[in-house]
Amino acid sequence: MIKGNSILIIAVVFLVYGSMSCTYHTNPGDLPNVMPPPEAGYVGTTRCKGCHDGIYNTYKNSGHPYILSKVTGGAAPEYPSTTVDFLPPSFSKGWNDVSYVIGGFAWKYNLIDKQGFIYTGDDAQYNFATNSTVPYHSEMAPGTKTFSCGQCHTTGWESAEDGAVPQDGLVGMGGSFFAAGVQCEACHGMGGVHASTRSPADIVIDTDASACGQCHARNEGLSISASDGFILNYSQYDELLAAKHKDLSCVSCHNPHASVKHGIAEGIASSCTECHPNMKNPTHNGADCVTCHMPNASRSASTSPNKYVADVKTHIFKINPAANGQMFNEDGKVANGAKGVTLSYACYQCHKDKDNIGGNNSKKLLQQLSKKATNYHK
């Protein structure tokens, strides 16, 4: 038998749950409200910073975010370690005549005018090493070179050929993008879902060298492009595949979020001796692994102290010890990466050649250098 108090409790429970039921089921057959699934899309680097502050602060001192910078308020963009202050005389309104700056973190920079065209001419590229300008496509009249570099200089690039409206309505822009520069989502993919779920499964983490090779390569056939006696810049992936380190990933040696410029040590994740602990390395005038195996045989800015030294380290690594080694093919447009860096580039950083061209150390003939270099580590 149910007593009076029990009946009262049952009635109260019924009323409470009944009212709750009415709150969620206003109409017969309605289901309770549920959160919609997170939407795919770009969220921006600031959103990434919220959870990855340490990585963000390292990344902001690297070159990737500054490979393209927007000019706002008529003032030059700011960079961690350089000052961009030169403008050609034809930019009579100063920085108000500039929409974007290409580069500027190291080596050099170029300008994009207010119509979206890359500025061309005899004074179009500024090189930091010499604090001077050099020509850039001077054969093209200013206002004619379309900016089509967005695949590697922006985040979320869509080309005009694929139907994109030119960025900012600038007719010289060959496409549109979510953000200038290589931001987090350029490598990790759209972060909208990951920002909501915070699951590693919802973000791209690709450590294969080919991911870097999307921008650090020049030719579809992966041959190493060269010109005027040096390898062309952004050929690192082509170089890596050419010789014995082709099975390595870029992140085997590099911290992808850090720079190796401006004295930043964080950019190197591991040293040569971590993989080659037993390699015999006789003392040789203070030279280390990098000095000989990664000489400055690649060029970014158009300045070189002599014909053996440019401003970017090669990633071929292998050295060709032959006295008659040829660095390039017959027309000089492709480097012989599989055979290795020739002794002229490795040794004449420090020694002088027969014509007294090279470094500050003694003159050495290639035959002498070959004898020293052959079986050097044995």
Side-chain angles (χ1 to χ4, degrees), residues 338-368:
K339 294 182 179 180
V341 178
T342 56
L343 296 178
S344 55
Y345 290 89
C347 301
Y348 289 144
Q349 301 174 87
C350 300
H351 293 288
K352 295 180 177 69
D353 68 5
K354 61 183 179 62
D355 299 317
N356 286 320
I357 298 173
N360 297 320
N361 292 345
S362 60
K363 183 189 295 186
K364 295 286 184 181
L365 300 179
L366 286 172
Q367 289 76 10
Q368 293 174 280

Side-chain angles (χ1 to χ4, degrees), residues 13-48:
V13 170
F14 177 81
L15 287 172
V16 170
Y17 279 92
S19 63
M20 289 176 64
S21 178
C22 291
T23 300
Y24 288 105
H25 300 281
T26 55
N27 294 306
D30 281 352
L31 294 174
N33 293 327
V34 294
M35 291 294 293
E39 294 184 5
Y42 291 104
V43 296
T45 300
T46 302
R47 184 78 176 274
C48 304

Side-chain angles (χ1 to χ4, degrees), residues 193-212:
V193 175
H194 174 70
S196 177
T197 67
R198 301 191 180 185
S199 170
D202 292 327
I203 200 70
V204 175
I205 303 176
D206 187 353
T207 60
D208 192 88
S210 61
C212 305

Side-chain angles (χ1 to χ4, degrees), residues 68-101:
L68 183 70
S69 300
K70 188 171 186 176
V71 174
T72 57
E78 294 184 358
Y79 299 81
S81 303
T82 57
T83 300
V84 171
D85 53 11
F86 171 81
L87 288 175
S90 58
F91 285 64
S92 59
K93 296 180 181 178
W95 287 100
N96 287 312
D97 279 336
V98 184
S99 60
Y100 289 87
V101 177

